[in-house]
mmCIF file of all heavy atoms in Angstrom:
data_model
loop_
_atom_site.group_PDB
_atom_site.id
_atom_site.type_symbol
_atom_site.label_atom_id
_atom_site.label_comp_id
_atom_site.label_asym_id
_atom_site.label_seq_id
_atom_site.Cartn_x
_atom_site.Cartn_y
_atom_site.Cartn_z
ATOM 1 N N LEU W 243 -4.956 -12.834 -17.080
ATOM 2 C CA LEU W 243 -4.522 -14.199 -17.254
ATOM 3 C C LEU W 243 -5.092 -15.140 -16.198
ATOM 4 O O LEU W 243 -5.219 -16.398 -16.428
ATOM 5 C CB LEU W 243 -3.023 -14.384 -17.276
ATOM 6 C CG LEU W 243 -2.265 -13.508 -18.385
ATOM 7 C CD1 LEU W 243 -0.806 -13.954 -18.407
ATOM 8 C CD2 LEU W 243 -2.965 -13.816 -19.794
ATOM 9 N N GLY W 244 -5.380 -14.661 -15.038
ATOM 10 C CA GLY W 244 -5.912 -15.505 -13.963
ATOM 11 C C GLY W 244 -6.152 -14.817 -12.699
ATOM 12 O O GLY W 244 -5.671 -13.757 -12.451
ATOM 13 N N VAL W 245 -6.978 -15.475 -11.801
ATOM 14 C CA VAL W 245 -7.288 -15.028 -10.416
ATOM 15 C C VAL W 245 -6.300 -15.640 -9.468
ATOM 16 O O VAL W 245 -6.079 -16.942 -9.538
ATOM 17 C CB VAL W 245 -8.752 -15.380 -10.153
ATOM 18 C CG1 VAL W 245 -9.075 -14.892 -8.666
ATOM 19 C CG2 VAL W 245 -9.711 -14.790 -11.040
ATOM 20 N N ALA W 246 -5.714 -14.828 -8.685
ATOM 21 C CA ALA W 246 -4.706 -15.352 -7.763
ATOM 22 C C ALA W 246 -5.248 -16.027 -6.528
ATOM 23 O O ALA W 246 -4.488 -16.775 -5.850
ATOM 24 C CB ALA W 246 -3.751 -14.126 -7.268
ATOM 25 N N GLY W 247 -6.502 -15.914 -6.276
ATOM 26 C CA GLY W 247 -7.070 -16.532 -5.066
ATOM 27 C C GLY W 247 -7.497 -17.951 -5.307
ATOM 28 O O GLY W 247 -7.363 -18.491 -6.432
ATOM 29 N N PRO W 248 -8.032 -18.684 -4.273
ATOM 30 C CA PRO W 248 -8.432 -20.084 -4.399
ATOM 31 C C PRO W 248 -9.692 -20.243 -5.236
ATOM 32 O O PRO W 248 -9.883 -21.413 -5.700
ATOM 33 C CB PRO W 248 -8.682 -20.464 -2.931
ATOM 34 C CG PRO W 248 -9.101 -19.199 -2.307
ATOM 35 C CD PRO W 248 -8.321 -18.150 -2.928
ATOM 36 N N ASN W 249 -10.484 -19.210 -5.463
ATOM 37 C CA ASN W 249 -11.801 -19.412 -6.224
ATOM 38 C C ASN W 249 -11.797 -18.282 -7.324
ATOM 39 O O ASN W 249 -11.159 -17.274 -7.249
ATOM 40 C CB ASN W 249 -12.910 -19.349 -5.274
ATOM 41 C CG ASN W 249 -12.874 -20.304 -4.159
ATOM 42 O OD1 ASN W 249 -12.853 -21.481 -4.377
ATOM 43 N ND2 ASN W 249 -12.809 -19.817 -2.950
ATOM 44 N N ARG W 250 -12.608 -18.550 -8.331
ATOM 45 C CA ARG W 250 -12.866 -17.585 -9.285
ATOM 46 C C ARG W 250 -13.662 -16.366 -8.671
ATOM 47 O O ARG W 250 -14.380 -16.553 -7.670
ATOM 48 C CB ARG W 250 -13.695 -18.126 -10.485
ATOM 49 C CG ARG W 250 -13.015 -19.221 -11.250
ATOM 50 C CD ARG W 250 -13.662 -19.632 -12.478
ATOM 51 N NE ARG W 250 -13.004 -20.752 -13.209
ATOM 52 C CZ ARG W 250 -13.217 -21.080 -14.510
ATOM 53 N NH1 ARG W 250 -14.138 -20.365 -15.148
ATOM 54 N NH2 ARG W 250 -12.506 -22.073 -14.978
ATOM 55 N N THR W 251 -13.472 -15.219 -9.238
ATOM 56 C CA THR W 251 -14.171 -14.020 -8.722
ATOM 57 C C THR W 251 -15.546 -13.853 -9.411
ATOM 58 O O THR W 251 -15.696 -14.096 -10.592
ATOM 59 C CB THR W 251 -13.296 -12.753 -8.955
ATOM 60 O OG1 THR W 251 -14.093 -11.630 -8.516
ATOM 61 C CG2 THR W 251 -12.984 -12.570 -10.385
ATOM 62 N N PRO W 252 -16.564 -13.550 -8.628
ATOM 63 C CA PRO W 252 -17.964 -13.396 -9.178
ATOM 64 C C PRO W 252 -18.036 -12.346 -10.274
ATOM 65 O O PRO W 252 -18.896 -12.506 -11.131
ATOM 66 C CB PRO W 252 -18.785 -13.015 -7.971
ATOM 67 C CG PRO W 252 -18.040 -13.525 -6.789
ATOM 68 C CD PRO W 252 -16.589 -13.373 -7.143
ATOM 69 N N VAL W 253 -17.113 -11.395 -10.255
ATOM 70 C CA VAL W 253 -17.335 -10.330 -11.318
ATOM 71 C C VAL W 253 -16.756 -10.719 -12.568
ATOM 72 O O VAL W 253 -16.977 -10.048 -13.636
ATOM 73 C CB VAL W 253 -16.739 -8.976 -10.760
ATOM 74 C CG1 VAL W 253 -17.425 -8.446 -9.614
ATOM 75 C CG2 VAL W 253 -15.217 -9.166 -10.497
ATOM 76 N N LEU W 254 -15.892 -11.750 -12.616
ATOM 77 C CA LEU W 254 -15.308 -12.293 -13.808
ATOM 78 C C LEU W 254 -15.316 -13.840 -13.691
ATOM 79 O O LEU W 254 -14.289 -14.483 -13.762
ATOM 80 C CB LEU W 254 -13.807 -11.849 -13.904
ATOM 81 C CG LEU W 254 -13.625 -10.380 -14.122
ATOM 82 C CD1 LEU W 254 -12.135 -9.932 -13.897
ATOM 83 C CD2 LEU W 254 -13.966 -9.957 -15.554
ATOM 84 N N PRO W 255 -16.451 -14.413 -13.674
ATOM 85 C CA PRO W 255 -16.717 -15.827 -13.502
ATOM 86 C C PRO W 255 -16.052 -16.696 -14.579
ATOM 87 O O PRO W 255 -15.796 -17.845 -14.265
ATOM 88 C CB PRO W 255 -18.179 -15.995 -13.445
ATOM 89 C CG PRO W 255 -18.722 -14.829 -14.180
ATOM 90 C CD PRO W 255 -17.839 -13.672 -13.968
ATOM 91 N N ASP W 256 -15.861 -16.252 -15.774
ATOM 92 C CA ASP W 256 -15.313 -17.039 -16.829
ATOM 93 C C ASP W 256 -13.671 -17.094 -16.714
ATOM 94 O O ASP W 256 -13.115 -17.885 -17.525
ATOM 95 C CB ASP W 256 -15.747 -16.474 -18.151
ATOM 96 C CG ASP W 256 -17.151 -16.657 -18.364
ATOM 97 O OD1 ASP W 256 -17.849 -17.556 -17.813
ATOM 98 O OD2 ASP W 256 -17.773 -15.800 -19.175
ATOM 99 N N GLN W 257 -13.181 -16.169 -15.959
ATOM 100 C CA GLN W 257 -11.704 -16.243 -15.883
ATOM 101 C C GLN W 257 -11.192 -17.357 -14.844
ATOM 102 O O GLN W 257 -11.717 -17.330 -13.698
ATOM 103 C CB GLN W 257 -11.231 -14.893 -15.396
ATOM 104 C CG GLN W 257 -11.522 -13.700 -16.365
ATOM 105 C CD GLN W 257 -10.553 -13.824 -17.580
ATOM 106 O OE1 GLN W 257 -9.570 -14.598 -17.669
ATOM 107 N NE2 GLN W 257 -10.956 -13.097 -18.599
ATOM 108 N N PRO W 258 -10.269 -18.112 -15.179
ATOM 109 C CA PRO W 258 -9.802 -19.161 -14.299
ATOM 110 C C PRO W 258 -8.940 -18.696 -13.248
ATOM 111 O O PRO W 258 -8.348 -17.525 -13.345
ATOM 112 C CB PRO W 258 -9.037 -20.091 -15.317
ATOM 113 C CG PRO W 258 -8.485 -19.151 -16.270
ATOM 114 C CD PRO W 258 -9.560 -18.095 -16.530
ATOM 115 N N THR W 259 -8.778 -19.542 -12.146
ATOM 116 C CA THR W 259 -7.719 -19.182 -11.106
ATOM 117 C C THR W 259 -6.374 -19.485 -11.833
ATOM 118 O O THR W 259 -6.292 -20.278 -12.734
ATOM 119 C CB THR W 259 -7.982 -19.949 -9.932
ATOM 120 O OG1 THR W 259 -7.758 -21.304 -10.140
ATOM 121 C CG2 THR W 259 -9.349 -19.620 -9.322
ATOM 122 N N ILE W 260 -5.354 -18.927 -11.169
ATOM 123 C CA ILE W 260 -3.933 -19.245 -11.613
ATOM 124 C C ILE W 260 -3.703 -20.792 -11.408
ATOM 125 O O ILE W 260 -3.022 -21.392 -12.148
ATOM 126 C CB ILE W 260 -2.929 -18.380 -10.914
ATOM 127 C CG1 ILE W 260 -3.142 -16.947 -11.419
ATOM 128 C CG2 ILE W 260 -1.559 -18.875 -11.154
ATOM 129 C CD1 ILE W 260 -2.286 -15.908 -10.759
ATOM 130 N N ALA W 261 -4.228 -21.303 -10.353
ATOM 131 C CA ALA W 261 -4.045 -22.712 -10.012
ATOM 132 C C ALA W 261 -4.698 -23.567 -11.076
ATOM 133 O O ALA W 261 -4.167 -24.606 -11.490
ATOM 134 C CB ALA W 261 -4.683 -23.010 -8.662
#
Side-chain angles (χ1 to χ4, degrees):
L243 301 187
V245 178
N249 303 302
R250 298 189 180 198
T251 174
V253 297
L254 296 164
D256 295 331
Q257 294 288 346
T259 65
I260 292 173

